[in-house]
Amino acid sequence: MGGASLLVRALFRSTSRFNSEKSYHRILFSLSPEKVVIPCTTMSEELKYIVNELNRNPFNKNYNLISFDSLNSEQLLQVLNDVLAEVDPRNKVDIRGEDPEQTTVRILEMLRVLKFKPGQEMSAAVFCQRLVQGDKHLIHPILEWLLKNMEDLKMRAYLAQYLVKVEVPLEILSDRDVSAFYEEYEKLIEDFKLVHKDSQVLKNSGYSTSELRADIDAMEHEKDIVIKRIERMQQKVENIHNKEAMLEAAHALRLEREREKSLGNQKQEQQASLTHTEQQVQRLQQQLKEMQQAASGATAEGLLQRLEEETNVNTYIVKQKLPKEIGIRNNDLEILRLVLSEPVMSRGDLDALNSKIHSVNSEITQMVEHHLAANNPADDKLAPFRQQAAIIARKKETTAEHLTELRNKLSAAEEELQEKKSQLKEFAGETVLRGEEFKRYVTKLRGRSSLYKRQRTELSALKAEAGVLTRTVEILRARDEAVLRGLAMEEAQHGVSGFRVTEERMEQVSGEKANVDHEKGQTLEEMSSLVLELTQRIATKKAQLAPIIKELRPLRESCQVLTAEYEQKKHVYDTTAAGLESATAKLEQEVQNLKEEIRASESKYHLLEAESVISQVKLDQIAEEMQRYVGNTAGSDKTKSLRDRLTQKINELEKLSRQLKDDQHIVKENQANRSKQMKLWTDLQKLLECKKRCLEEERQNTGTVHREKGAETLVLQ
């Protein structure tokens, strides 16, 4: 603790701006006498949460992960100060205009009031030093804790304004007036606690005064209506001779209707439960049917045969198809590397290279023809086998390619299904993508967005090109029609109409004949070469497969033995794993119960400790009061005990009470005369008002108008 205080003093260089030396020690000690612990969570999740909260109201910082992580120490301290200002508006300051010492002390004091309890062990001196330096590895956990508990911390900061007691030194507190004020201050704190507790209970009850008043008024109105109805009904049934029996019948009818209503509700609930159960049964039956269909005809031999087929297919793909494709890709890659390593070729070099390629192709053709002429295919007895082997190999390659394509389609369909399920879960609110899944989803969306933009650009370009080509085709067609019309006119002038069409048909027929002859020759050559190749391949494959087949027979037997042993070991493993999981669950439950007991014991211990402190303070006050009462003198008013002051106060109040009783007696004696006088004055007031009213009526009736035979005469009375 001494080293921590020296380090903090060295950081601040001065303690003149502290509120007091005791507040400095209190802040440092509240962090922890020995160690301070800082919560340790996943950094990426922590930064995501902090950035998301700071981008919302009321902060609206508009950060991202990169910009927030690149903030310097001063900016990071300002962000921490802004969050503390949201908790307590008294911290709403710009730290650039505030002394660093004051900023650090204010933040430490605020964390102490909010009861911040960090997680990794760290000395208090290092904590203060890293806070002064604005270390992000220290400030990020503090920000996460503040943002996660914002509402609770606001309430805690509000209560701290009234419940955190002012520390008064004992030498000042020994003064009687100061002690009396401090006792009154503590009493007001207790009253505030009670009032705040009642206020929270009322707020949490969900009722407001206006709603309660409206409900009371409505209930009173309904009560009046019900009372009037009851009175009317009583008046109606007074003259009925069997009203008691009818009332009993009405009561029974009401009970039966209520029972009928409850039975109807129960019926609806049972029907809903029955419908839900039927749907569940149908769903389970469908699952059972699917499982039965999947398991129909599934024997151990069939499963092994299926596994052998899959193993053979995978072996062919891994040992033959993939190496061949890899070799082709490597050859292409080597060719491209050679091309890249060569210097830039000119047009003459390209022409020379093309001529060399043509000459090599012609030499290959001549060698093939010479080989075919020297070796008669009819004399080769293995030619049919080679042909069959080539066909089988080609079929295997085609089947493998088709299988690869189907697997790719299946994986794409599964990915699409998984994506649809995730979208459905998002719309249903069941799951939320987090972490790496969310990153993959965003990356996929970005890829699709870029692909969409690129294809949209290509589509726009293709549309523009299609428009140009369409216009070009229209122009060429118009020109072609004009040329054809001119040619037809020339043919008609020379007497050879239809010559061009006949010539085009003859050229087309001759071209088709040449193509057919060429295709026939190619087909015969391909068939002969294919037969030779198949015969050779079949012979080689037989020679290769003979030792493999011999080796495969003992391997199949060992595979069956290993499969049986695997099933047995798997059953033992599943049983052991289930037992361990159940034991682990029991142990976790016991650990959880022990933790709950520890928390309850700790809270009880702290409560008893607080009550012990309060009791000790009250005992000290009682001892001090007894000492004052015993050592009190008659002439010193300042050293009077509380009992003497209360006795004096009681005497004064009794004297005041006797005086008020005398005043009450006088008032009662004069009440009759004053009441009579009041009545006379009231009668006099009524008499004067009556005279005034008569006088006004007389003034209004001072003249009338008489009508006689159409003439009007004014008569004054």
Side-chain angles (χ1 to χ4, degrees):
M1 185 65 188
S5 65
L6 289 175
L7 180 57
V8 175
R9 290 173 185 273
L11 290 171
F12 293 142
R13 301 295 184 188
S14 174
T15 57
S16 59
R17 298 196 180 187
F18 282 87
N19 293 331
S20 66
E21 186 71 18
K22 189 175 293 183
S23 67
Y24 158 75
H25 288 293
R26 185 182 70 248
I27 294 171
L28 194 60
F29 181 77
S30 64
L31 293 175
S32 177
E34 299 295 335
K35 300 287 182 181
V36 174
V37 278
I38 304 239
C40 183
T41 58
T42 305
M43 188 61 65
S44 60
E45 297 296 331
E46 177 185 277
L47 283 179
K48 286 179 184 178
Y49 179 77
I50 294 172
V51 170
N52 289 334
E53 292 297 324
L54 290 177
N55 290 337
R56 296 178 181 174
N57 288 327
F59 303 106
N60 299 323
K61 293 293 185 179
N62 196 18
Y63 287 135
N64 54 36
L65 292 176
I66 299 174
S67 62
F68 180 75
D69 192 54
S70 61
L71 294 178
N72 56 34
S73 60
E74 185 178 0
Q75 292 173 340
L76 202 57
L77 284 173
Q78 183 63 52
V79 172
L80 176 60
N81 187 80
D82 293 341
V83 176
L84 290 175
E86 182 63 24
V87 175
D88 189 355
R90 292 179 297 178
N91 295 293
K92 195 172 185 179
V93 294
D94 190 352
I95 63 173
R96 292 175 295 182
E98 188 180 26
D99 191 79
E101 299 174 7
Q102 293 181 354
T103 302
T104 306
V105 173
R106 180 170 51 78
I107 292 175
L108 287 173
E109 177 67 20
M110 195 64 194
L111 292 177
R112 183 190 70 84
V113 170
L114 297 178
K115 298 181 180 179
F116 174 66
K117 294 181 180 179
Q120 242 176 40
E121 291 193 354
M122 179 189 301
S123 64
V126 176
F127 181 83
C128 296
Q129 182 183 7
R130 292 176 64 182
L131 184 62
V132 171
Q133 294 173 353
D135 188 359
K136 63 181 181 180
H137 297 293
L138 175 70
I139 295 177
H140 287 174
I142 298 175
L143 286 173
E144 183 185 15
W145 179 74
L146 291 172
L147 294 171
K148 283 184 177 179
N149 305 283
M150 182 63 68
E151 296 300 326
D152 295 338
L153 296 179
K154 284 182 179 180
M155 180 60 68
R156 189 174 295 173
Y158 166 74
L159 295 176
Q161 300 178 16
Y162 306 102
L163 298 182
V164 176
K165 295 183 180 180
V166 178
E167 295 186 0
V168 182
L170 293 176
E171 58 270 14
I172 299 176
L173 194 61
S174 61
D175 185 77
R176 186 181 64 181
D177 296 335
V178 176
S179 178
F181 281 124
Y182 197 77
E183 289 176 0
E184 186 177 358
Y185 168 67
E186 290 180 340
K187 183 179 178 182
L188 290 174
I189 288 177
E190 296 298 328
D191 294 341
F192 175 78
K193 289 181 180 178
L194 296 175
V195 173
H196 177 72
K197 185 176 180 180
D198 295 339
S199 174
Q200 291 298 117
V201 170
L202 290 175
K203 286 181 181 179
N204 296 329
S205 62
Y207 294 101
S208 62
T209 55
S210 59
E211 292 178 354
L212 290 174
R213 288 174 182 172
D215 292 341
I216 291 171
D217 294 338
M219 291 171 67
E220 289 180 351
H221 181 66
E222 291 177 357
K223 179 182 176 182
D224 295 336
I225 294 174
V226 171
I227 291 173
K228 291 180 181 179
R229 287 182 178 177
I230 291 172
E231 291 177 353
R232 287 199 299 268
M233 293 302 296
Q234 286 178 352
Q235 291 177 0
K236 288 181 180 180
V237 301
E238 281 181 355
N239 299 325
I240 299 175
H241 60 280
N242 57 347
K243 64 179 181 179
E244 296 295 334
M246 295 183 68
L247 288 174
E248 291 179 358
H251 179 68
L253 177 62
R254 180 174 58 81
L255 293 177
E256 290 298 328
R257 285 181 177 176
E258 291 178 355
R259 185 167 174 270
E260 181 183 2
K261 186 176 180 180
S262 64
L263 290 174
N265 294 331
Q266 292 179 4
K267 181 180 178 181
Q268 292 179 357
E269 293 176 358
Q270 294 294 330
Q271 287 178 351
S273 176
L274 179 62
T275 305
H276 179 70
T277 306
E278 289 177 352
Q279 293 176 357
Q280 187 176 5
V281 169
Q282 291 177 1
R283 188 163 55 251
L284 293 174
Q285 288 178 351
Q286 183 66 25
Q287 293 178 0
L288 179 61
K289 187 182 295 183
E290 293 176 357
M291 293 176 68
Q292 289 177 352
Q293 290 178 358
S296 61
T299 60
E301 296 177 355
L303 293 175
L304 288 175
Q305 185 177 1
R306 189 183 302 172
L307 288 173
E308 288 179 358
E309 292 176 356
E310 291 180 358
T311 305
N312 294 331
V313 172
N314 293 328
T315 304
Y316 170 75
I317 292 174
V318 172
K319 292 185 177 181
Q320 296 184 19
K321 186 175 183 296
L322 291 179
K324 184 178 179 181
E325 293 180 354
I326 292 171
I328 294 172
R329 297 293 174 86
N330 290 331
N331 293 331
D332 295 340
L333 184 61
E334 290 296 330
I335 292 170
L336 292 174
R337 285 177 180 172
L338 292 174
V339 171
L340 289 174
S341 63
E342 293 291 332
V344 180
M345 302 175 68
S346 62
R347 184 67 181 175
D349 296 334
L350 291 174
D351 294 337
L353 188 61
N354 288 326
S355 63
K356 187 177 180 180
I357 291 171
H358 287 303
S359 64
V360 171
N361 287 332
S362 62
E363 290 178 1
I364 292 172
T365 304
Q366 291 176 2
M367 292 175 67
V368 170
E369 291 176 355
H370 180 71
H371 179 72
L372 292 175
N375 299 324
N376 189 5
D379 296 336
D380 192 0
K381 297 180 180 180
L382 297 177
F385 300 104
R386 292 194 186 99
Q387 185 177 4
Q388 291 179 2
I391 293 172
I392 291 172
R394 190 178 294 109
K395 285 183 179 180
K396 287 175 68 175
E397 292 177 357
T398 306
T399 306
E401 292 176 356
H402 185 60
L403 178 62
T404 305
E405 184 180 357
L406 290 177
R407 285 182 176 177
N408 293 331
K409 288 183 180 180
L410 178 61
S411 61
E414 288 177 351
E415 290 179 358
E416 186 177 1
L417 177 62
Q418 190 66 28
E419 183 180 357
K420 296 297 183 182
K421 286 182 178 180
S422 62
Q423 292 178 0
L424 179 61
K425 290 181 179 179
E426 285 183 5
F427 292 136
E430 294 179 1
T431 59
V432 178
L433 295 179
R434 297 184 182 276
E436 297 298 325
E437 293 182 358
F438 183 76
K439 288 182 181 178
R440 289 196 294 270
Y441 180 70
V442 172
T443 305
K444 191 173 182 180
L445 285 181
R446 288 176 180 172
R448 289 191 175 184
S449 177
S450 61
L451 179 62
Y452 168 74
K453 291 179 181 178
R454 185 169 64 254
Q455 290 182 351
R456 186 177 62 182
T457 306
E458 293 176 359
L459 181 62
S460 301
L462 290 174
K463 285 183 178 179
E465 187 176 359
V468 174
L469 293 175
T470 304
R471 179 59 181 166
T472 305
V473 168
E474 291 176 356
I475 294 171
L476 292 176
R477 283 178 180 173
R479 290 180 181 179
D480 184 58
E481 290 175 358
V483 171
L484 290 176
R485 285 196 299 270
L487 184 60
M489 291 173 65
E490 290 292 333
E491 290 176 354
Q493 290 178 1
H494 292 84
V496 288
S497 299
F499 176 79
R500 182 185 57 81
V501 177
T502 305
E503 187 178 7
E504 289 179 354
R505 288 180 180 176
M506 290 177 66
E507 290 176 356
Q508 184 178 3
V509 170
S510 61
E512 290 177 356
K513 182 177 180 299
N515 292 331
V516 169
D517 294 337
H518 181 67
E519 289 177 359
K520 284 182 179 179
Q522 286 184 349
T523 304
L524 290 173
E525 292 176 357
E526 288 177 359
M527 288 178 66
S528 60
S529 62
L530 184 61
V531 168
L532 292 173
E533 185 180 359
L534 286 174
T535 306
Q536 293 175 358
R537 286 188 180 181
I538 289 171
T540 55
K541 292 295 181 183
K542 280 185 177 180
Q544 292 176 0
L545 291 174
I548 295 174
I549 292 171
K550 292 180 180 179
E551 294 176 358
L552 183 61
R553 290 172 183 172
L555 289 176
R556 284 181 179 176
E557 296 176 357
S558 61
C559 177
Q560 294 176 357
V561 175
L562 291 174
T563 303
E565 185 177 359
Y566 165 74
E567 293 294 335
Q568 183 180 2
K569 297 293 185 182
K570 184 180 179 183
H571 179 69
V572 174
Y573 169 76
D574 293 338
T575 307
T576 308
L580 290 176
E581 287 179 358
S582 61
T584 304
K586 291 181 181 178
L587 290 175
E588 289 178 353
Q589 184 64 30
E590 291 178 0
V591 170
Q592 189 68 24
N593 294 333
L594 291 174
K595 287 182 178 179
E596 293 295 334
E597 291 179 1
I598 290 171
R599 291 195 199 96
S601 300
E602 286 180 353
S603 61
K604 187 175 181 182
Y605 164 73
H606 291 302
L607 179 62
L608 292 174
E609 188 177 4
E611 291 178 354
S612 174
V613 173
I614 293 171
S615 301
Q616 186 63 37
V617 172
K618 290 182 178 180
L619 288 174
D620 293 340
Q621 291 177 355
I622 291 171
E624 184 180 358
E625 183 66 23
M626 291 296 295
Q627 185 178 1
R628 289 180 180 178
Y629 178 72
V630 172
N632 190 15
T633 58
S636 58
D637 293 336
K638 293 184 178 180
T639 59
K640 284 184 178 180
S641 64
L642 180 61
R643 179 176 179 181
D644 295 337
R645 293 198 300 272
L646 292 175
T647 305
Q648 184 179 357
K649 190 72 174 178
I650 290 170
N651 293 331
E652 291 177 358
L653 292 175
E654 287 179 352
K655 183 178 179 181
L656 180 61
S657 176
R658 287 195 297 272
Q659 184 178 355
L660 292 175
K661 285 182 179 180
D662 294 338
D663 294 341
Q664 182 182 9
H665 182 68
I666 294 170
V667 169
K668 286 182 179 180
E669 289 179 351
N670 297 328
Q671 183 179 3
N673 295 329
R674 290 178 180 175
S675 299
K676 184 176 180 181
Q677 188 175 3
M678 183 67 185
K679 184 177 181 181
L680 292 175
W681 279 107
T682 304
D683 294 339
L684 179 60
Q685 183 181 2
K686 290 181 180 179
L687 181 60
L688 292 175
E689 288 178 355
C690 183
K691 287 185 177 182
K692 180 181 178 182
R693 191 165 54 252
C694 293
L695 183 60
E696 290 177 354
E697 291 178 357
E698 185 177 359
R699 287 178 181 176
Q700 291 177 0
N701 297 327
T702 51
T704 58
V705 178
H706 294 278
R707 298 176 182 269
E708 292 182 359
K709 296 181 181 180
E712 295 183 355
T713 305
L714 180 61
V715 180
L716 296 177
Q717 296 179 352

